[in-house]
Amino acid sequence: STVGATYTVRWRVAPSGAWQTATVTAGQNFYGITGLTEQTNYEVQVSTTCGGSTGAYSSSVAFTTPPLSYCPMTGTGTNDHISNVTVTSSNLGVPPMNNTSVQTNYTSYTTPETLITLDVNSQNNKISVAKGWTGATGNDAVTAWLDFDRNGQFTDAERILISPANTTTPVTATFAVPSTAYTGPLTTTLRVVLKRTSAPVMCQNAVDGEVEDYRVKIRPCSNATPNAPTFTTTHTSATVTITGAGVSYVVRYRVQGTTAWTSVYASTQLGNLPLVINGLTPATTYEVEVAAICGDIVGTATPIKTFTTRCDPTPPNVTVSNITPTTALITWAPLAASSTYTMRWRKVGTTTWNIVSLPAAPANTYVLGSVTALEPYTTYEVQIANQCNGETTLNPYSNPKVFTTERICQIPPPGLTITQLLPTSAEITWDPFPGATYVLRYRKVGIPSWTEVPSLVNNLVLTGLTELTKYEMQVVNICNGTPGNYTPPYYFTTPTVIYCKMKAGSSTGEHISKVTVKPTGKKTMENESGASTYTDYTGVPKTFIEMIQGSTDNEIIIEKKWTGTTYDEGIAVWIDFNRNGEFDINERVFTSSPNSNSPVSGKFNVPADAFVSMTDYKYVVMRVAMSRDGIPVNCTDFKNGEVEDYTVRISKPIAANPIDQTSIMIYPNPVSSVLFVKNISKRAKYTIYNAAGQVIANGILLNNQINVSKLINGVYV
């Protein structure tokens, strides 16, 4: 408390009752609240007044008033105890209370699971008490009292079980609830006492025994006829809503026209109101009657009332068969009784559905396309739903069933694709058509004329393509000698050459210290280097190697270097002469078995058909590899040594040219239509290259003129 302060206390029934207020005597920091209701939740707050100024109320403190109290009573010992108490109402609409326990001397059970519910003025209620022993079995007496009038005392008239001392377990009794029993909103108490040797005495401790208290709710009841039930149905269930007299009910139902009833008990205590009856048959009429129960007395049932379950709304399984270019057979199953079926269909990717009312059962097939023909080689989706008789809304549709109508020869072959694309070739495939042959045509993008390739099968390999060039291609079916429609253009660009990766795990102990190449008729290339598991010199100009197509006695010299121990090193050198991105076995120009000699050297020839480098970025690669204790294998890593790649440019051998190049005149420049070439033979041959080194045109001069009007704007040689 605070010196000189006074306090105001207010309290109410939680959470929203009316506040009641009291002023606390000055100098006092407590207050006794009277007039409360037992077993009720309250909240209390306090405010402080100092110097005539009153502050805000404190936060609420919650409390619950205790129930009616009974004389204290406990058991003693650790052996003899109550192991189970079960109380069963004679009203089958009330679940039994079953509680198993161990020796605790005394327990007051207040949980919802241990609440006992009984009907006032009911007969044939049952109590069962099981005895337990942690050690030796003894003769134990059991007595149970139920405070029917809820006056806080257990009288002899309120004993519902008396069992003399013996080892029998469990002990049971039936009892009645008097019509004068308390039926208010609160609970009363059942006390069960077990005592060794002699009968328990109320309010005296049970020596070598145990005491248990339970909350009991005695409720008023009526078995007057309730109101007629109402129903909400699905195809397999019905929700039965019951109003009017009674707190517990027995509901009986059967299929109309049969005689055997199925009974179900329902009550708030069972947790099944409103009652849901499951496992019913779709599209079936049932009869129902409801009666109230008080104790074990069943009242007069309501007149029979009927309900009919809905048809089964489950979407059917849909299958599509017998597909032709213009039709498809649609089948649906199983068929639900008391319903009709509707189909909707559309092209996949469109938004508008076409609706079809399907034939009545037992029919379950429909030829889609029989009214409006479907389009060949088109993908459609189909769904089917049923509608219960007497209803106006469709049940859910089935999942979409997707199918594609058959192709006809005139339709362009689908599936045109490239399965492998290399710098100068392409493997091409497309979907076959029965009995057809094919024509594939292709061209460089921007070139007007096509190159046509006939094929008996649905795949072929295009060769002779130009690296890093964009092409377009199309394919067409040929049926009985008549071509269909070409596919839309398929564009692709040939790639550049890519070589496999290869390296050593370590170059610490040894490495390639120098590579020397002495080409016949070209300058020598020398490259000294330090240790590295792999080095790419293809972009280093001073290491570029020049060679002549068809040359012989080209020489390569490789020097080795060790750090510490001298090991035996194997050498392999490849040159990709045909520039296909692979180092073939016939392109291995030099090998040296593992040895400690340095340098090692060898000579090799350049094939007469080796790839000629027309532009800076089109070159072939020389790979030099050194491996400890073995000859390197291309595209395979090894533990110790080094790998180096080099650029090799191959040129054609120089041919004697009787023409004086300096006297040739070519004009005009720039040119739009006709290019004139003077001071040369009128029948000389010519070749035109674009800036990428690709051959664009060639031919023979006619009257010293070349028609270039079809060339696109650009720089040419």
Side-chain angles (χ1 to χ4, degrees):
S1 63
T2 302
V3 176
T6 59
Y7 300 93
T8 302
V9 177
R10 70 176 184 178
W11 67 94
R12 69 177 178 183
V13 175
S16 56
W19 289 104
Q20 300 182 62
T21 304
T23 301
V24 181
T25 303
Q28 185 171 297
N29 66 342
F30 61 89
Y31 181 79
I33 302 175
T34 60
L36 303 178
T37 302
E38 69 168 282
Q39 300 186 67
T40 303
N41 296 325
Y42 288 88
E43 57 180 330
V44 62
Q45 299 176 339
V46 178
S47 68
T48 305
T49 302
C50 291
S53 177
T54 300
Y57 278 101
S58 64
S59 299
S60 293
V61 174
F63 66 92
T64 301
T65 51
L68 180 70
S69 62
Y70 291 87
C71 64
M73 189 174 177
T74 187
T76 65
T78 60
N79 183 50
D80 307 63
H81 64 278
I82 300 166
S83 66
N84 177 269
V85 173
T86 300
V87 177
T88 305
S89 170
S90 61
N91 187 337
L92 296 180
V94 177
M97 190 290 295
N98 185 311
N99 183 50
T100 298
S101 60
V102 296
Q103 168 62 285
T104 56
N105 292 143
Y106 173 77
T107 302
S108 176
Y109 292 102
T110 59
T111 65
E113 293 76 19
T114 57
L115 175 66
I116 299 167
T117 300
L118 298 170
D119 289 348
V120 71
N121 198 30
S122 60
Q123 309 294 316
N124 300 316
N125 304 287
K126 298 178 182 178
I127 182 171
S128 171
V129 180
K131 309 168 186 177
W133 299 271
T134 58
T137 301
N139 291 314
D140 293 328
V142 177
T143 303
W145 292 265
L146 203 165
D147 184 16
F148 288 118
D149 57 7
R150 198 177 183 278
N151 64 353
Q153 298 178 7
F154 295 109
T155 65
D156 290 346
E158 294 175 323
R159 286 185 300 193
I160 62 173
L161 169 65
I162 305 173
S163 175
N166 55 49
T167 59
T168 301
T169 184
V171 292
T172 61
T174 59
F175 64 94
V177 177
S179 60
T180 56
Y182 170 82
T183 57
L186 304 177
T187 59
T188 186
T189 299
L190 166 71
R191 175 165 288 178
V192 182
V193 184
L194 177 146
K195 182 176 179 294
R196 186 189 294 177
T197 307
S198 60
V201 177
M202 176 54 62
C203 299
Q204 295 183 14
N205 291 339
V207 179
D208 292 323
E210 185 179 17
V211 180
E212 293 182 350
D213 283 351
Y214 292 86
R215 293 190 306 139
V216 180
K217 174 65 176 175
I218 301 176
R219 63 183 189 178
C221 67
S222 169
N223 54 12
T225 302
N227 298 326
T230 59
F231 312 103
T232 302
T233 62
T234 69
H235 65 293
T236 59
S237 68
T239 300
V240 184
T241 302
I242 306 169
T243 59
V247 289
S248 297
Y249 307 93
V250 59
V251 179
R252 302 201 305 169
Y253 66 95
R254 65 185 176 189
V255 174
Q256 190 177 49
T258 63
T259 57
W261 291 98
T262 298
S263 296
V264 181
Y265 290 90
S267 67
T268 301
Q269 284 70 30
L270 289 175
N272 61 349
L273 282 179
L275 177 66
V276 178
I277 303 174
N278 292 306
L280 304 179
T281 303
T284 302
T285 300
Y286 288 84
E287 297 178 333
V288 178
E289 63 179 22
V290 180
I293 310 172
C294 189
D296 56 356
I297 306 300
V298 178
T300 302
T302 60
I304 289 176
K305 193 173 181 181
T306 63
F307 67 84
T308 301
T309 51
R310 295 184 67 234
C311 73
D312 188 347
T314 305
N317 295 319
V318 180
T319 58
V320 182
S321 60
N322 297 351
I323 300 172
T324 73
T326 58
T327 62
L329 179 64
I330 313 299
T331 304
W332 59 97
L335 297 176
S338 300
S339 68
T340 57
Y341 283 86
T342 297
M343 177 179 71
R344 65 181 186 181
W345 62 276
R346 65 183 177 185
K347 291 181 184 179
V348 171
T350 62
T351 58
T352 302
W353 290 98
N354 301 286
I355 306 300
V356 177
S357 296
L358 296 173
N364 69 331
T365 61
Y366 179 81
V367 178
L368 182 58
S370 58
V371 176
T372 301
L374 304 180
E375 296 178 17
Y377 199 58
T378 302
T379 301
Y380 293 90
E381 58 182 328
V382 172
Q383 293 180 298
I384 294 180
N386 71 340
Q387 180 175 310
C388 298
N389 293 346
E391 298 184 8
T392 58
T393 303
L394 286 172
N395 291 315
Y397 275 99
S398 61
N399 291 327
K401 194 71 175 181
V402 178
F403 67 94
T404 301
T405 50
E406 293 292 326
R407 281 191 288 144
I408 57 177
C409 188
Q410 289 78 8
I411 290 178
L416 177 62
T417 188
I418 295 176
T419 57
Q420 184 180 38
L421 182 60
L422 299 176
T424 59
S425 66
E427 294 184 7
I428 302 167
T429 185
W430 57 90
D431 291 352
F433 188 82
T437 59
Y438 313 94
V439 169
L440 182 138
R441 64 183 186 182
Y442 71 99
R443 64 184 176 186
K444 295 177 183 178
V445 173
I447 300 300
S449 59
W450 293 93
T451 298
E452 294 188 346
V453 182
S455 178
L456 298 176
V457 294
N458 63 312
N459 58 81
L460 56 81
V461 178
L462 293 181
T463 58
L465 303 179
T466 303
E467 177 186 352
L468 291 175
T469 302
K470 188 173 183 180
Y471 288 87
E472 60 180 322
M473 65 178 178
Q474 297 175 301
V475 68
V476 66
N477 295 326
I478 308 294
C479 295
N480 299 321
T482 302
N485 295 313
Y486 274 98
T487 59
Y490 183 108
Y491 295 94
F492 66 94
T493 300
T494 51
T496 191
V497 174
I498 299 176
Y499 292 91
C500 64
K501 296 183 182 301
M502 182 178 176
K503 69 180 186 306
S506 171
S507 61
T508 302
E510 63 271 89
H511 67 278
I512 300 168
S513 63
K514 185 177 181 181
V515 173
T516 302
V517 180
K518 297 180 178 180
T520 300
K522 293 289 185 179
K523 66 180 181 179
T524 298
M525 187 285 295
E526 295 180 322
N527 183 44
E528 295 184 9
S529 61
S532 173
T533 58
Y534 170 76
T535 303
D536 183 2
Y537 291 108
T538 60
V540 181
K542 71 175 184 177
T543 66
F544 290 173
I545 302 165
E546 295 183 1
M547 292 184 178
I548 299 174
Q549 190 182 59
S551 61
T552 61
D553 293 328
N554 302 279
E555 185 177 12
I556 184 164
I557 305 168
I558 298 165
E559 298 181 24
K560 313 170 187 176
K561 188 173 183 179
W562 294 268
T563 304
T565 304
T566 300
Y567 300 101
D568 290 336
E569 310 294 341
I571 300 290
V573 180
W574 299 265
I575 299 178
D576 182 22
F577 286 121
N578 61 2
R579 201 172 185 274
N580 67 348
E582 298 178 1
F583 295 110
D584 303 318
I585 188 63
N586 61 344
E587 294 177 325
R588 191 169 65 174
V589 298
F590 174 68
T591 60
S592 173
S593 299
N595 60 65
S596 58
N597 300 330
S598 180
V600 293
S601 64
K603 293 186 177 183
F604 61 91
N605 301 330
V606 177
D609 60 351
F611 178 87
V612 174
S613 298
M614 300 297 294
T615 61
D616 287 343
Y617 64 86
K618 287 186 179 179
Y619 53 84
V620 299
V621 170
M622 178 179 77
R623 174 163 289 175
V624 182
M626 183 182 81
S627 173
R628 183 192 299 178
D629 297 329
I631 298 176
V633 176
N634 185 49
C635 299
T636 304
D637 294 346
F638 46 85
K639 289 185 178 180
N640 298 284
E642 187 177 7
V643 179
E644 295 179 352
D645 283 350
Y646 292 87
T647 289
V648 178
R649 290 195 173 93
I650 300 174
S651 61
K652 288 184 175 292
I654 298 174
N657 190 352
I659 299 175
D660 182 2
Q661 300 288 329
T662 60
S663 65
I664 298 175
M665 296 178 61
I666 301 176
Y667 65 91
N669 187 10
V671 61
S672 60
S673 58
V674 177
L675 185 68
F676 295 95
V677 183
K678 299 295 187 178
N679 299 332
I680 195 170
S681 169
K682 293 183 178 181
R683 300 290 295 177
K685 295 180 179 180
Y686 70 88
T687 301
I688 300 177
Y689 301 89
N690 65 10
Q694 300 167 328
V695 176
I696 299 301
N698 52 45
I700 298 175
L701 288 176
L702 297 177
N703 297 321
N704 297 104
Q705 298 179 15
I706 302 174
N707 188 339
V708 295
S709 61
K710 293 185 177 180
L711 297 183
I712 61 176
N713 292 340
V715 177
Y716 298 90
V717 177

